[in-house]
Amino acid sequence: MSTVIAPADEAGIIAVVQAARAAREPLAIEGQGSKRGLLRPVQAAHSLSTRGLTGVTLYRPSELIISARAGTPLAEIEAALAEKGQQLIAESPYLNGIFGTSAPPSIGGVVAANLSGPRRITWGATRDHVMGLRFINGAGEVIRSGGRVLKNVTGLDLCKLLSGSYGTLGVITEVTLKVLPKPETSATLLIEVPDLSSAIAALSAGLGSPFGVSGAAALPSTGHVVAALRLEDFAPSVAYRMEKLRGVLGNFGAQRVMEDGESRAFWRAVREVEPLQAVADEAIWRVSVRPSAGPEVAAAAMALGGRVMLDWGGGLVWVAAGPSSENHTAITASARMQGGAAMLFRAPESLRLAVPVLPEEAAPLAKIGARVKEALDPGGLFNPGHMRAA
């Protein structure tokens, strides 16, 4: 276990980075430490944490903008927004149940991993709502990208580059996010269908309707599959659109409507992948694929004895199965065959070290990635080997 260093301010982060650069010692970069089980373990004597950098630094509800230091717990951000009737757009997950941790996810960690929940299918990913970043590069310099207003000058978008870089390009110290009003209510239409192909057909019909579906998931059950479609907005709008949506999807199967409280709890469970958490020693894969291919990927996983659930209209397939290299090879091959990509999301450390946890990059992309890494972290200090074996 590496020693965790958690400076209380940005100057402290800079000092640690500069000392590591002088000593040529790599650093494991983390926020609150809630997702240490994600990707490959980083071999470093010291972990640099942003948990000491907390607090909202700017909140302008009328401009739909919030800024916070990177170590600020996600729940603190959500609470501040809720007081003004607003919310984060991408419905970012906590994933404590997946990784068996109690540490709160940090807003910087959410951005660094580009984690998004069910609302991503209609409102975009977390990176789409990052308006500005401050981060420390491998030379110990402060870099600012973007700003604190919705209209920004053009140029190299480092915000999107850092979002989803898993701490390998820089240490994020502050983020600025666009937010939106929180819907007054929600309701979810559940449709019982015979199989996953029928579920995806129902979800596609709902998403293609004019009724503003903001969540579309498929959950296999004993003998059938449940297709779930969510509506959010003012209560009269949700009631009207739900009636119309039920009519459009009436031929797919038996229907039931979950009202606001039950609906919100259901989508929290989908967001946190709770249906697949029952067996703690299983590995979990996250497969991104075109929605029409979701049932094929799911069928291949179930043939291995795996359990599945689908989100994003079928475009995101979660798979839980035994943590073996054989299963990993089969699941990644199935995703690749369907033009998708599989990520080993949770697994024992031994498996995460033995297999590629992320899809291999095409040679031209890998070359560009290496040049970006060299520009931002020339000494290779940050999270070496975290995404791919060095």
Side-chain angles (χ1 to χ4, degrees):
M1 181 69 180
S2 58
T3 302
V4 178
I5 306 171
D9 54 27
E10 190 175 74
I13 299 284
I14 293 171
V16 173
V17 171
Q18 290 178 340
R21 184 186 186 203
R24 297 185 179 180
E25 294 179 347
L27 294 167
I29 310 301
E30 65 178 31
Q32 295 278 352
S34 64
K35 292 177 283 296
R36 287 178 183 157
L38 184 63
L39 303 185
R40 293 170 51 85
V42 177
Q43 306 300 318
H46 302 291
S47 293
L48 175 55
S49 169
T50 60
R51 69 184 63 173
L53 278 62
T54 62
V56 174
T57 56
L58 174 78
Y59 182 26
R60 294 176 179 163
S62 62
E63 298 178 22
L64 301 175
I65 286 291
I66 191 168
S67 299
R69 297 184 182 92
T72 308
L74 178 59
E76 186 176 322
I77 304 289
E78 292 176 331
L81 292 172
E83 288 184 3
K84 299 296 184 180
Q86 295 181 342
Q87 66 180 7
L88 293 174
I89 301 171
E91 203 170 2
S92 304
Y94 281 57
L95 300 176
N96 292 109
I98 287 283
F99 295 110
T101 59
S102 58
S106 66
I107 192 64
V110 167
V111 170
N114 190 35
L115 294 173
S116 310
R119 204 174 287 122
R120 186 217 186 282
I121 193 171
T122 50
W123 285 100
T126 292
R127 64 158 47 99
D128 298 316
H129 310 296
V130 179
M131 307 306 299
L133 284 177
R134 284 174 65 95
F135 68 95
I136 312 303
N137 68 5
E141 301 167 331
V142 178
I143 307 294
R144 301 172 182 84
S145 180
R148 289 178 162 180
V149 294
L150 295 184
K151 292 183 179 179
N152 266 315
V153 296
T154 58
L156 181 61
D157 193 348
L158 292 177
C159 295
K160 286 184 170 57
L161 186 64
L162 269 288
S163 301
S165 64
Y166 298 99
T168 61
L169 298 178
V171 184
I172 297 172
T173 58
E174 185 183 60
V175 300
T176 298
L177 299 167
K178 179 184 176 183
V179 300
L180 282 180
K182 190 173 184 178
E184 179 183 47
T185 192
S186 75
T188 297
L189 176 61
L190 302 181
I191 308 174
E192 185 176 312
V193 296
D195 51 42
L196 280 171
S197 294
S198 301
I200 299 308
L203 298 181
S204 297
L207 288 165
S209 76
F211 304 121
V213 173
S214 66
L219 286 72
S221 187
T222 304
H224 65 276
V225 177
V226 174
L229 301 102
R230 177 178 61 185
L231 301 179
E232 299 176 294
D233 211 324
F234 296 107
S237 172
V238 169
Y240 171 81
R241 287 153 50 213
M242 180 59 75
E243 180 183 358
K244 295 297 184 180
L245 185 65
R246 294 189 70 175
V248 168
L249 303 180
N251 293 329
F252 282 96
Q255 298 181 352
R256 180 172 82 84
V257 175
M258 294 192 298
E259 299 301 337
D260 189 48
E262 188 181 7
S263 173
R264 292 182 191 272
F266 175 87
W267 289 100
R268 278 195 298 271
V270 171
R271 181 190 73 181
E272 303 302 325
V273 204
E274 287 183 8
L276 301 188
Q277 291 182 23
V279 183
D281 60 355
E282 284 182 323
I284 293 179
W285 288 261
R286 183 179 185 270
V287 181
S288 299
V289 70
R290 69 184 188 280
S292 61
E296 296 293 333
V297 172
M302 290 188 287
L304 301 172
R307 299 175 299 120
V308 302
M309 62 173 278
L310 284 67
D311 198 359
W312 301 353
L316 175 61
V317 183
W318 290 100
V319 177
S324 68
S325 57
E326 292 79 12
N327 281 347
H328 179 73
T329 298
I331 291 166
T332 55
S334 171
R336 192 165 52 248
M337 187 180 302
Q338 298 299 330
M343 171 185 183
L344 181 57
F345 203 78
R346 183 189 78 182
E349 184 173 306
S350 57
L351 182 60
R352 290 187 286 128
L353 286 170
V355 302
V357 297
L358 292 172
E360 294 298 325
E361 291 183 307
L365 290 178
K367 184 177 293 187
I368 293 172
R371 290 174 62 187
V372 170
K373 175 71 171 175
E374 176 64 23
L376 293 177
D377 180 24
L381 297 179
F382 301 145
N383 280 350
H386 192 36
M387 296 176 71
R388 293 177 176 83

